[in-house]
Amino acid sequence: MENKPALLSARNIRRAFTSAGARLEVLRGVDLSLRHGESLALTGESGSGKSTLVHILAGLELPDAGEVEIEGTPLNRLSEAGRARLRRETIGIVFQQFNLIPSLDAGANIAFQARLAGRHDPDHVTRLAGRLGLAGHLHKYPEELSGGQQQRVAIGRALAARPALILADEPTGNLDEATADEVLALMLELVAEAGAALLMVTHSVRLAARLDRQLQLSRGRIFA
Amino acid sequence: MTRAGLQALLSHWWRHPGQLVMLLAGLMLATALWSGVQAINAEARAAYAQAAGRVDAGARARIVPRAGERLDEAQYVALRRAGWPVSPVVEAHLTAGGATVRLIGIDPITTPSDLIPRAFSGTDSAETLRRFLLPPHLVFAAPDVAAALAEATGAEVRAADDLAPGTAVADVGFVQRLGGAEGLLDRLIVTDAPRALAPPPLETIAPGLVLQPAAPRADLARLTASFHLNLSAFGLLAFAVGLFIAHGAVGLAFEARRGMFRTLRALGLPLWHLMLLIALELALMALVAGAAGMVAGLLIAGALLPDVAASLKGLYGAEVPGTLTLRAQTWVAGMAAALAGAGLAGAGALWQLARLPVLAPAMPRAWARASAHRRALEATGGLALLVAAAALARFGSGLMAGFALMAALLLGAALILPPLLDLCLRLAGRAARGPLSQWFWADARQGLPGLSLAMMALLLALAANIGVGTMVESFRRAFTGWLDQRLAAELYVRARDDAEAERLRAFLAGRSEAVLPLWRVEATVAGVPSFVYGVEDHPTYRENWPLLDALPGVWDRLAAGEAALINEQLARRAGLSPGDTIEILPGWRLEVAGIYSDYGNPTGQVMVALAPFLAHFPDAPRLSHAVRVAPEDAPALARALIEEFGLPAENVVDQAALKRWSLSIFERTFAITAALNVLTLGVAGVAIVTSLAALSGQRLVQLAPVWAVGVERRRLARLELLRALALAALTAALALPLGLALAWVLLAIVNVEAFGWRLPMQLFPLDWLRLVALALLAAALAALWPALRLARMAPARLVQVFAAAR
Ligand SMILES: Nc1ncnc2c1ncn2[C@@H]1O[C@H](COP(=O)(O)OP(=O)(O)OP(=O)(O)O)[C@@H](O)[C@H]1O
Ligand SMILES: [Mg+2]
């Protein structure tokens, strides 16, 4: 582990938005790193830039300055196609909502990324679906599923491709507390079984406490 | 409450200008094409009403010399003094630039205004009149001879495109001098001017002259009914296509505003009030779009009218001005169409709203599922319509049945298009292997409801293009082939009386290969008003006549006087086929030995051998003749006839000119069809563009997740383009059989009912290929802008989809 590069490392990430003429510096030099198999909770008040940071770490957006490396590969040196390929093969993402592809049923949604990455294993998908309590719902379309079920499908999709890194942006933020706890417990269990690293954004200190490390984003910087 | 509610409702359009454009464009296009066609029809009808009593010289009473000579100007003066409302006409034939020009001399003061070229009544008519009457004389000439005539006469020549090719109009005195006929006139036209009280009879003033009554005038409105019906059908089709677009836009707007409706009602706005507001909103848009559509429609009508006028004149001799007059009724009808269209487009949505519980889910998909029932109903309706169309094709009769069949066929096909496309996409999805291609087909399937109206519009436009194109092209082939056969003789000559005819035959005997009599009498055969022709046995007929169906040895039997030939119109109207017997005169019965095609002729025809014809009709006028002569000698012979006999140019017609004239009428008749075809295709293109634009906001929810898990934007954009192409290609594939069915209906039913002849259907695969390519190009162009936008879309905008407050 010492010689191996960190799974994820971000150095001096800066990002500003200009809206209505005003310049808003959301990230002002964020440093962060995550090792294989490690889990990390990111908290911060609303509007502090957590989602923005996750998007940058996933290579969905590029920072104004600074560098993100995943398994030693700097993202800003990759073409868009290269970053897309990296997302397919290395990263599983769970957003707060609208994760799923509306035109595919739950089963196809779970398998989608794994198939894109060329790592489709039907048995694995069936097992995951069973663990997520979705066995009877695989032929339903997203709009026919409850919010909790939709998030479980999204988690299944993130795990099905066996990515090294899972990024989750308030994956249970839209759910009631009981359901949120249940879904999250399941996710942590499955992530641990898969040996993947996890970076999860959450508002809940209680949930954050269940992860290996906790960081806070405030005024554009990271605090432990 | 009204104000606040309306503000809330209208705010939606600000945020979704694409939907607004689509709704307005749909209503506008519907109004434009419909009112354009209506304006043309109204113009023509007004012209027919006006023309009751006017039109070409043959339709007026005229006074001519009894004995084929010219009349003396003094006789004209005497007649006018006695109170006869007559106007003088003299003709001269000049050779100018190698062509013969028929120069008609008139007196602009007494001539009825419709016989004067339109250019005459220009801006400064007093000045024009002065120049017309005084040397060096102003002459109006058909554009084809204007330049040559100016050179030949030294007069000031102005081109007038309402003159028949090869003719010119000038002052009577000037023409007399040019033709070396000072003091002589060809005929006098009896004008509409009120006569003096009881003018003395013609015999006492001018004993050498006879009054020829006006030829019985055909009822133009009735004659041209099928032409206008055709136009109206096209206008209706365009209106329907426009309505499809508007309907789609209203549906989208309702779907998107479902949440707003719920909120407004939860806040205490009564349902009826909400519905009233929506109706008000729709009416507002209908008025705006309707006004814009009217203007566009009048522009379209103005652009098409000259062609319509030309073909109406060529086909039916109906004079319709080439320029448009604005009529109040056109405006009222156009606005009414826009309002009715908006009402139709919004009625279904309002109905759904009325039945919706206050807290219905605002989710678009839920709405889509709820309307699945309606879609099933539409598909069933579509199938029922197709069955009805089949029944009409089998058992229907009459022109209205033909149009009803076309309407049922098109509407039925449009309604079953979405389920058919759905089926195709499902099959394609099943055959697909990769995850991305499976997603592609599934996604296309799911997006179908939003695009199906645009695809219906494309289907209708393509089918109309294929159908009408096939009909016109088949007609063109049949018509040109038929012209070549029927106009086999090089010259057609008509004498003015029997004595002149005798001299003509003697004159021609030495100068031509054959002089074939074209002698005819009117008769009612098998209950159909017809002309009976006596024809000589000659290779001209045996080798060229366009027979559709015949018994063996048909020409020998005809020559032997045992049998007759009849034209297709007579055969269809009387239900005759070869082997049947017809009675031409009481006791004179002949077997039908053959049937020939005879396009463009409204009456029946019978051909019998010359000898029995003359035996049964000894008094038949023997004036017309077809002359066979070496083609290169024809022009000289025509000139000789005109010079030797003083025949008016219209009595000597050469084959080439006749063919050119017929073909040019044909082309102009279908020019409007071609223009309307292009417009319908354009409407379909607009439908695709607006649908895609209206949907592009909702597309992000579909695309962002695929992008997030690792498919780059450019690839997604390519797939978006491909999706539009795939849908257009499938639609085009379905449009082909529909278009051919339409062509069949037009050729085998509508034409037979409207004109009395059936044309063989020919297939033009290259035209189809071109059309399909055009449709694909249109779809690609329509999808290009949204696709480019996607390819360049800021990732920040894409990730917003996942943000909590989207
Ligand atoms: N595309 C954008 N354009 C302009 N400003 C943006 C954009 N995206 C985010 N912002 C702003 O950046 C700031 C950080 O947004 P971000 O979504 O990262 O916050 P967050 O920490 O995830 O908040 P929350 O906990 O509410 O999800 C906010 O003030 C937001 O308004
Ligand atoms: Mg956030």
Side-chain angles (χ1 to χ4, degrees), chain B residues 533-612:
Chain B
Y533 280 80
V535 294
E536 218 166 69
D537 184 18
H538 193 269
T540 301
Y541 299 111
R542 289 178 177 258
E543 286 161 15
N544 296 305
W545 210 244
L547 287 177
L548 294 172
D549 194 2
L551 300 176
V554 50
W555 293 109
D556 292 333
R557 307 188 52 194
L558 181 74
E562 297 163 8
L565 295 181
I566 61 175
N567 72 351
E568 186 185 2
Q569 285 85 314
L570 176 57
R572 286 194 186 279
R573 254 170 253 169
L576 294 169
S577 38
D580 292 346
T581 305
I582 49 172
E583 186 168 63
I584 297 167
L585 282 177
W588 185 23
R589 302 165 66 86
L590 289 176
E591 190 184 12
V592 174
I595 295 169
Y596 55 92
S597 55
D598 188 22
Y599 306 125
N601 178 11
T603 60
Q605 255 185 31
V606 180
M607 286 166 66
V608 298
L610 193 57

XYZ file of all heavy atoms in Angstrom, chain B residues 533-612:
614
model
N -67.640 10.030 -85.437
C -66.705 10.415 -86.494
C -66.729 9.382 -87.608
O -66.760 8.180 -87.344
C -65.274 10.459 -85.942
C -64.959 11.722 -85.169
C -65.362 11.864 -83.854
C -64.243 12.756 -85.764
C -65.076 13.016 -83.139
C -63.945 13.914 -85.063
C -64.369 14.043 -83.754
O -64.091 15.180 -83.052
N -66.680 9.869 -88.845
C -66.458 8.967 -89.951
C -64.984 9.012 -90.315
O -64.446 10.098 -90.536
N -64.317 7.877 -90.330
C -62.883 7.895 -90.606
C -62.544 7.022 -91.793
O -63.163 5.992 -92.044
C -62.061 7.433 -89.385
C -62.203 8.405 -88.248
C -62.453 6.039 -88.958
N -61.544 7.449 -92.485
C -61.065 6.706 -93.642
C -60.172 5.565 -93.159
O -59.577 5.663 -92.091
C -60.230 7.654 -94.505
C -60.416 7.463 -95.992
C -59.823 8.661 -96.733
O -58.585 8.774 -96.706
O -60.604 9.465 -97.268
N -60.091 4.521 -93.957
C -59.170 3.440 -93.611
C -57.774 3.861 -94.039
O -57.497 3.990 -95.228
C -59.606 2.162 -94.350
C -58.738 0.986 -93.959
O -58.067 1.081 -92.899
O -58.737 -0.006 -94.700
N -56.898 4.094 -93.092
C -55.577 4.621 -93.426
C -54.553 4.151 -92.411
O -54.877 4.009 -91.229
C -55.626 6.163 -93.448
C -54.414 6.774 -94.071
N -53.312 7.115 -93.335
C -54.125 7.101 -95.362
C -52.391 7.626 -94.144
N -52.872 7.635 -95.379
N -53.318 3.929 -92.831
C -52.279 3.478 -91.883
C -52.108 4.426 -90.700
O -51.681 4.003 -89.622
C -51.009 3.446 -92.731
C -51.474 3.334 -94.141
C -52.833 3.950 -94.215
N -52.420 5.705 -90.915
C -52.301 6.649 -89.798
C -53.031 6.124 -88.573
O -52.545 6.209 -87.449
C -52.904 8.005 -90.207
O -52.204 8.475 -91.345
C -52.789 9.022 -89.072
N -54.216 5.569 -88.801
C -54.975 5.014 -87.679
C -54.427 3.659 -87.273
O -54.214 3.381 -86.100
C -56.450 4.906 -88.044
C -57.077 6.245 -88.380
C -57.473 6.557 -89.684
C -57.272 7.194 -87.375
C -58.046 7.782 -89.989
C -57.833 8.432 -87.675
C -58.218 8.716 -88.990
O -58.772 9.933 -89.275
N -54.253 2.805 -88.296
C -53.844 1.435 -87.999
C -52.536 1.399 -87.203
O -52.336 0.547 -86.359
C -53.652 0.645 -89.298
C -54.982 0.345 -89.976
C -54.753 -0.384 -91.281
N -56.037 -0.739 -91.907
C -56.553 -1.967 -91.860
N -55.905 -2.939 -91.259
N -57.711 -2.205 -92.435
N -51.636 2.335 -87.511
C -50.324 2.273 -86.870
C -50.265 3.029 -85.545
O -49.409 2.758 -84.709
C -49.258 2.837 -87.828
C -48.938 1.879 -88.953
C -48.262 2.574 -90.131
O -47.807 3.721 -89.948
O -48.218 1.968 -91.212
N -51.116 4.030 -85.389
C -50.926 4.925 -84.252
C -52.019 4.929 -83.201
O -51.791 5.368 -82.084
C -50.779 6.367 -84.749
C -49.534 6.535 -85.589
O -48.450 6.210 -85.149
N -49.706 6.995 -86.811
N -53.198 4.508 -83.574
C -54.321 4.790 -82.682
C -54.133 4.148 -81.310
O -53.800 2.985 -81.213
C -55.621 4.323 -83.348
C -56.773 5.161 -82.916
C -57.842 4.745 -82.213
C -56.962 6.556 -83.166
N -58.688 5.782 -81.996
C -58.183 6.915 -82.559
C -56.224 7.541 -83.823
C -58.679 8.214 -82.591
C -56.714 8.821 -83.854
C -57.925 9.142 -83.248
N -54.338 4.900 -80.229
C -54.052 4.381 -78.872
C -55.139 3.458 -78.346
O -55.920 3.822 -77.475
C -53.961 5.653 -78.018
C -54.828 6.644 -78.722
C -54.720 6.320 -80.193
N -55.166 2.244 -78.855
C -56.193 1.304 -78.438
C -55.892 0.754 -77.051
O -54.765 0.396 -76.742
C -56.271 0.146 -79.436
C -56.895 0.488 -80.790
C -56.833 -0.728 -81.703
C -58.341 0.939 -80.617
N -56.913 0.702 -76.217
C -56.760 0.110 -74.891
C -57.145 -1.358 -74.915
O -56.607 -2.171 -74.183
C -57.661 0.829 -73.885
C -57.316 2.285 -73.586
C -58.406 2.911 -72.732
C -55.989 2.371 -72.876
N -58.107 -1.662 -75.767
C -58.657 -3.018 -75.780
C -59.316 -3.186 -77.145
O -59.963 -2.262 -77.629
C -59.703 -3.151 -74.662
C -60.049 -4.599 -74.401
O -59.438 -5.474 -75.061
O -60.923 -4.848 -73.554
N -59.126 -4.341 -77.795
C -59.720 -4.501 -79.122
C -59.927 -5.967 -79.446
O -59.244 -6.844 -78.912
C -58.815 -3.872 -80.186
N -60.893 -6.216 -80.334
C -61.083 -7.561 -80.857
C -60.065 -7.780 -81.967
O -59.567 -6.815 -82.550
C -62.502 -7.692 -81.436
C -63.649 -7.443 -80.451
C -64.985 -7.521 -81.187
C -63.598 -8.459 -79.326
N -59.767 -9.025 -82.306
C -58.827 -9.273 -83.419
C -59.382 -8.687 -84.719
O -60.596 -8.658 -84.924
C -58.743 -10.801 -83.484
C -59.559 -11.346 -82.369
C -60.237 -10.242 -81.648
N -58.474 -8.197 -85.551
C -58.865 -7.672 -86.857
C -59.709 -6.422 -86.765
O -60.535 -6.149 -87.637
N -59.456 -5.647 -85.713
C -60.319 -4.500 -85.439
C -60.391 -3.518 -86.599
O -61.477 -3.069 -86.991
C -59.872 -3.808 -84.132
C -58.390 -3.544 -84.123
C -60.639 -2.516 -83.911
N -59.263 -3.227 -87.247
C -59.262 -2.198 -88.293
C -59.970 -2.678 -89.554
O -60.680 -1.905 -90.204
C -57.839 -1.727 -88.598
C -57.264 -1.000 -87.415
C -56.282 -1.437 -86.589
C -57.671 0.275 -86.924
N -56.044 -0.531 -85.604
C -56.871 0.548 -85.785
C -58.620 1.215 -87.323
C -57.003 1.716 -85.045
C -58.740 2.374 -86.590
C -57.937 2.627 -85.458
N -59.788 -3.964 -89.870
C -60.472 -4.504 -91.049
C -61.977 -4.461 -90.840
O -62.746 -4.139 -91.743
C -60.020 -5.943 -91.313
C -58.557 -5.974 -91.746
O -58.107 -4.946 -92.309
O -57.884 -6.985 -91.490
N -62.400 -4.798 -89.647
C -63.833 -4.827 -89.377
C -64.407 -3.417 -89.373
O -65.542 -3.188 -89.791
C -64.096 -5.527 -88.056
C -63.429 -6.901 -88.032
C -63.814 -7.700 -86.843
N -65.252 -7.757 -86.707
C -65.862 -8.156 -85.612
N -65.146 -8.527 -84.584
N -67.169 -8.179 -85.557
N -63.600 -2.477 -88.877
C -64.041 -1.076 -88.903
C -64.202 -0.618 -90.353
O -65.219 -0.048 -90.742
C -63.032 -0.190 -88.179
C -63.380 1.292 -88.123
C -64.503 1.542 -87.130
C -62.173 2.133 -87.739
N -63.175 -0.914 -91.170
C -63.184 -0.476 -92.570
C -64.354 -1.116 -93.316
O -64.954 -0.496 -94.195
C -61.862 -0.845 -93.238
N -64.691 -2.357 -92.942
C -65.783 -3.043 -93.634
C -67.142 -2.530 -93.196
O -68.174 -2.968 -93.723
C -65.682 -4.553 -93.374
N -67.141 -1.615 -92.219
C -68.424 -1.065 -91.781
C -69.162 -1.992 -90.850
O -70.362 -1.817 -90.594
N -68.466 -3.006 -90.302
C -69.162 -3.956 -89.432
C -69.108 -3.527 -87.974
O -69.864 -4.014 -87.147
C -68.463 -5.337 -89.492
C -68.479 -5.982 -90.843
C -67.444 -7.101 -90.922
O -66.850 -7.447 -89.873
O -67.221 -7.600 -92.030
N -68.136 -2.687 -87.661
C -67.903 -2.429 -86.242
C -67.532 -0.975 -86.027
O -67.236 -0.237 -86.965
C -66.785 -3.335 -85.720
N -67.533 -0.573 -84.750
C -67.173 0.801 -84.378
C -66.119 0.754 -83.286
O -65.953 -0.255 -82.606
C -68.400 1.551 -83.879
N -65.390 1.865 -83.155
C -64.486 2.039 -82.011
C -65.101 3.104 -81.102
O -65.718 4.053 -81.590
C -63.116 2.522 -82.471
C -62.292 1.578 -83.339
C -60.952 2.229 -83.671
C -62.076 0.266 -82.639
N -64.910 2.957 -79.807
C -65.423 3.990 -78.897
C -64.308 4.432 -77.956
O -63.340 3.707 -77.762
C -66.634 3.486 -78.072
C -66.232 2.298 -77.200
C -67.785 3.132 -78.980
C -67.342 1.840 -76.277
N -64.467 5.641 -77.411
C -63.431 6.093 -76.484
C -63.697 5.582 -75.070
O -64.784 5.078 -74.774
C -63.257 7.619 -76.543
C -64.412 8.379 -75.914
O -65.434 7.811 -75.576
N -64.235 9.690 -75.782
N -62.684 5.703 -74.240
C -62.741 5.126 -72.899
C -63.871 5.727 -72.066
O -64.553 5.026 -71.321
C -61.388 5.362 -72.207
C -61.275 4.677 -70.862
C -59.980 5.007 -70.142
O -59.180 5.803 -70.673
O -59.773 4.468 -69.052
N -64.054 7.056 -72.227
C -65.086 7.721 -71.442
C -66.451 7.094 -71.704
O -67.215 6.827 -70.775
C -65.144 9.213 -71.810
C -64.008 10.031 -71.237
C -62.774 9.997 -72.102
O -62.351 8.925 -72.556
N -62.165 11.147 -72.330
N -66.756 6.887 -73.001
C -68.041 6.299 -73.369
C -68.131 4.875 -72.831
O -69.158 4.462 -72.271
C -68.189 6.318 -74.893
C -69.446 5.654 -75.457
C -70.691 6.277 -74.863
C -69.484 5.769 -76.983
N -67.031 4.127 -72.974
C -67.036 2.740 -72.523
C -67.317 2.681 -71.026
O -68.123 1.862 -70.569
C -65.698 2.090 -72.831
N -66.654 3.570 -70.249
C -66.854 3.530 -68.792
C -68.246 3.986 -68.402
O -68.892 3.395 -67.540
C -65.821 4.413 -68.105
C -64.471 3.794 -68.103
C -63.517 4.478 -67.159
N -62.202 3.894 -67.351
C -61.824 2.756 -66.807
N -62.649 2.098 -66.020
N -60.623 2.256 -67.051
N -68.698 5.068 -69.034
C -69.990 5.602 -68.618
C -71.131 4.663 -68.981
O -72.095 4.528 -68.252
C -70.218 6.977 -69.254
C -70.042 8.072 -68.204
C -70.022 9.430 -68.807
N -68.664 9.963 -68.772
C -68.293 11.059 -69.411
N -69.148 11.711 -70.160
N -67.061 11.494 -69.315
N -71.000 4.013 -70.159
C -72.091 3.151 -70.591
C -71.818 1.689 -70.248
O -72.638 0.823 -70.541
C -72.313 3.308 -72.092
N -70.677 1.423 -69.646
C -70.353 0.046 -69.279
C -70.194 -0.868 -70.481
O -70.686 -1.993 -70.488
N -69.519 -0.360 -71.521
C -69.369 -1.151 -72.747
C -67.983 -1.788 -72.809
O -67.007 -1.206 -72.339
C -69.545 -0.246 -73.975
C -70.942 0.357 -74.168
C -70.905 1.426 -75.257
C -71.932 -0.738 -74.526
N -67.905 -2.953 -73.409
C -66.590 -3.542 -73.684
C -66.620 -4.165 -75.079
O -67.694 -4.342 -75.660
C -66.225 -4.559 -72.603
O -67.351 -5.283 -72.216
N -65.454 -4.475 -75.631
C -65.404 -5.029 -76.987
C -66.323 -6.245 -77.100
O -66.361 -7.073 -76.187
C -63.937 -5.416 -77.158
C -63.202 -4.503 -76.233
C -64.115 -4.275 -75.064
N -67.064 -6.315 -78.208
C -68.009 -7.410 -78.380
C -69.446 -6.974 -78.118
O -70.383 -7.590 -78.617
N -69.609 -5.863 -77.324
C -70.956 -5.339 -77.098
C -71.446 -4.630 -78.356
O -70.676 -4.369 -79.281
C -70.958 -4.345 -75.933
C -70.680 -5.034 -74.606
O -70.761 -6.280 -74.573
O -70.340 -4.333 -73.634
N -72.722 -4.331 -78.379
C -73.305 -3.670 -79.546
C -73.843 -2.302 -79.138
O -74.404 -2.152 -78.054
C -74.463 -4.520 -80.112
O -73.961 -5.829 -80.369
C -74.987 -3.918 -81.405
N -73.625 -1.315 -80.013
C -74.210 -0.006 -79.748
C -75.134 0.371 -80.902
O -74.942 -0.072 -82.041
C -73.131 1.093 -79.588
C -72.133 1.023 -80.741
C -72.421 0.974 -78.253
C -71.175 2.194 -80.751
N -76.103 1.196 -80.578
C -77.010 1.683 -81.613
C -76.715 3.154 -81.827
O -76.851 3.963 -80.919
C -78.461 1.490 -81.171
C -79.447 1.853 -82.265
C -80.847 1.380 -81.932
O -81.402 1.858 -80.921
O -81.393 0.527 -82.654
N -76.293 3.491 -83.057
C -75.903 4.868 -83.319
C -77.101 5.670 -83.810
O -77.311 6.811 -83.399
C -74.749 4.901 -84.343
C -73.543 4.187 -83.720
C -74.396 6.331 -84.717
C -72.445 3.869 -84.666
N -77.864 5.064 -84.695
C -79.134 5.646 -85.113
C -80.155 4.526 -84.983
O -79.769 3.354 -84.966
C -79.072 6.087 -86.585
C -78.348 7.385 -86.903
C -78.328 7.605 -88.410
C -79.045 8.557 -86.219
N -81.410 4.884 -84.860
C -82.412 3.808 -84.812
C -82.210 2.837 -85.975
O -82.186 3.249 -87.129
C -83.746 4.552 -84.936
C -83.447 5.930 -84.409
C -82.015 6.207 -84.725
N -81.963 1.611 -85.671
C -81.780 0.605 -86.714
C -80.343 0.426 -87.164
O -80.022 -0.551 -87.828
N -79.452 1.371 -86.798
C -78.039 1.208 -87.203
C -77.237 0.771 -85.982
O -76.914 1.558 -85.106
C -77.484 2.525 -87.754
C -76.078 2.373 -88.291
C -75.491 1.229 -88.712
C -75.103 3.405 -88.428
N -74.220 1.453 -89.132
C -73.949 2.809 -88.978
C -75.105 4.787 -88.198
C -72.804 3.538 -89.253
C -73.967 5.494 -88.472
C -72.815 4.881 -89.004
N -76.996 -0.511 -85.936
C -76.298 -1.079 -84.786
C -74.948 -1.611 -85.223
O -74.824 -2.225 -86.265
C -77.113 -2.212 -84.169
C -78.519 -1.740 -83.733
C -79.416 -2.943 -83.464
N -78.926 -3.682 -82.315
C -79.258 -3.380 -81.056
N -80.080 -2.404 -80.821
N -78.770 -4.076 -80.059
N -73.946 -1.366 -84.420
C -72.599 -1.848 -84.737
C -71.998 -2.490 -83.496
O -72.308 -2.114 -82.358
C -71.708 -0.687 -85.172
C -71.996 -0.072 -86.539
C -71.097 1.131 -86.774
C -71.809 -1.105 -87.649
N -71.135 -3.441 -83.775
C -70.431 -4.073 -82.668
C -69.278 -3.161 -82.246
O -68.657 -2.503 -83.080
C -69.875 -5.432 -83.113
C -69.349 -6.241 -81.963
C -68.706 -7.542 -82.438
O -68.472 -7.685 -83.661
O -68.416 -8.390 -81.594
N -68.992 -3.104 -80.947
C -67.818 -2.362 -80.460
C -66.601 -3.254 -80.671
O -66.488 -4.313 -80.060
C -67.972 -2.005 -78.974
C -66.684 -1.368 -78.458
C -69.158 -1.085 -78.767
N -65.704 -2.816 -81.564
C -64.541 -3.657 -81.862
C -63.329 -3.233 -81.052
O -62.353 -3.966 -80.951
C -64.218 -3.601 -83.357
N -63.356 -2.039 -80.489
C -62.185 -1.609 -79.721
C -62.485 -0.355 -78.916
O -63.468 0.347 -79.152
N -61.610 -0.125 -77.931
C -61.747 1.057 -77.062
C -60.406 1.782 -77.057
O -59.355 1.147 -76.950
C -62.117 0.618 -75.634
C -63.504 -0.040 -75.641
C -62.113 1.808 -74.674
C -63.851 -0.736 -74.350
N -60.435 3.100 -77.232
C -59.181 3.850 -77.250
C -59.188 4.930 -76.179
O -60.229 5.389 -75.733
C -58.928 4.459 -78.627
C -60.032 5.335 -79.157
C -60.018 6.711 -78.934
C -61.080 4.785 -79.898
C -61.040 7.517 -79.428
C -62.101 5.587 -80.388
C -62.081 6.939 -80.157
O -63.092 7.732 -80.636
N -57.989 5.313 -75.750
C -57.894 6.337 -74.717
C -58.017 7.708 -75.354
O -57.632 7.918 -76.500
C -56.574 6.210 -73.951
O -55.488 6.243 -74.841
N -58.550 8.642 -74.573
C -58.952 9.928 -75.139
C -58.903 10.987 -74.044
O -59.917 11.531 -73.655
C -60.381 9.765 -75.688
C -60.822 10.991 -76.477
O -59.934 11.740 -76.934
O -62.029 11.199 -76.619
N -57.684 11.221 -73.526
C -57.562 12.109 -72.371
C -57.970 13.538 -72.695
O -57.743 14.027 -73.780
C -56.117 12.109 -71.858
C -55.609 10.732 -71.571
C -54.446 10.261 -72.159
C -56.324 9.879 -70.734
C -53.994 8.989 -71.918
C -55.879 8.607 -70.482
C -54.709 8.162 -71.080
O -54.275 6.897 -70.841
N -58.555 14.176 -71.722
C -58.850 15.601 -71.852
C -60.151 15.907 -72.558
O -60.461 17.054 -72.807
N -60.907 14.871 -72.909
C -62.149 15.095 -73.637
C -63.327 14.768 -72.739
O -63.427 13.669 -72.225
C -62.144 14.195 -74.881
C -63.418 14.315 -75.666
O -64.228 15.195 -75.416
N -63.607 13.416 -76.618
N -64.233 15.725 -72.543
C -65.335 15.443 -71.614
C -66.457 14.585 -72.198
O -67.268 14.073 -71.440
C -65.851 16.837 -71.245
C -65.416 17.730 -72.348
C -64.211 17.126 -72.985
N -66.500 14.421 -73.540
C -67.654 13.717 -74.129
C -67.270 12.344 -74.651
O -66.100 11.994 -74.737
C -68.228 14.509 -75.311
O -67.193 14.643 -76.283
C -68.707 15.873 -74.883
N -68.287 11.569 -75.021
C -68.047 10.279 -75.637
C -67.695 10.436 -77.111
O -67.927 11.471 -77.725
N -67.062 9.393 -77.668
C -66.699 9.410 -79.088
C -66.927 8.031 -79.690
O -66.685 7.022 -79.030
C -65.216 9.749 -79.239
C -64.955 11.165 -79.728
C -63.489 11.414 -79.971
O -62.743 10.499 -80.326
N -63.083 12.655 -79.805
N -67.361 8.040 -80.956
C -67.519 6.784 -81.683
C -66.862 6.958 -83.038
O -67.012 8.005 -83.675
C -69.013 6.435 -81.890
C -69.158 5.122 -82.643
C -69.747 6.393 -80.566
N -66.069 5.969 -83.473
C -65.476 6.015 -84.814
C -66.126 4.930 -85.660
O -66.192 3.772 -85.250
C -63.963 5.756 -84.746
C -63.181 6.940 -84.197
S -61.501 6.468 -83.743
C -60.822 6.072 -85.333
N -66.610 5.362 -86.849
C -67.162 4.374 -87.783
C -66.518 4.616 -89.140
O -65.875 5.644 -89.365
C -68.697 4.498 -87.909
C -69.361 4.228 -86.566
C -69.073 5.876 -88.417
N -66.684 3.660 -90.060
C -66.096 3.824 -91.391
C -66.770 4.990 -92.118
O -67.927 5.314 -91.857
C -66.255 2.532 -92.184
N -66.046 5.596 -93.027
C -66.508 6.818 -93.665
C -67.780 6.602 -94.493
O -68.735 7.385 -94.411
C -65.394 7.390 -94.548
C -65.615 8.803 -95.040
C -65.811 9.759 -93.879
C -64.429 9.241 -95.897
N -67.795 5.500 -95.289
C -68.913 5.309 -96.214
C -70.248 5.185 -95.482
O -71.199 5.934 -95.773
C -68.650 4.090 -97.110
N -70.356 4.275 -94.519
C -71.641 4.206 -93.799
C -71.953 5.500 -93.049
O -73.124 5.877 -92.922
C -71.460 3.036 -92.834
C -70.029 2.684 -92.859
C -69.440 3.204 -94.122
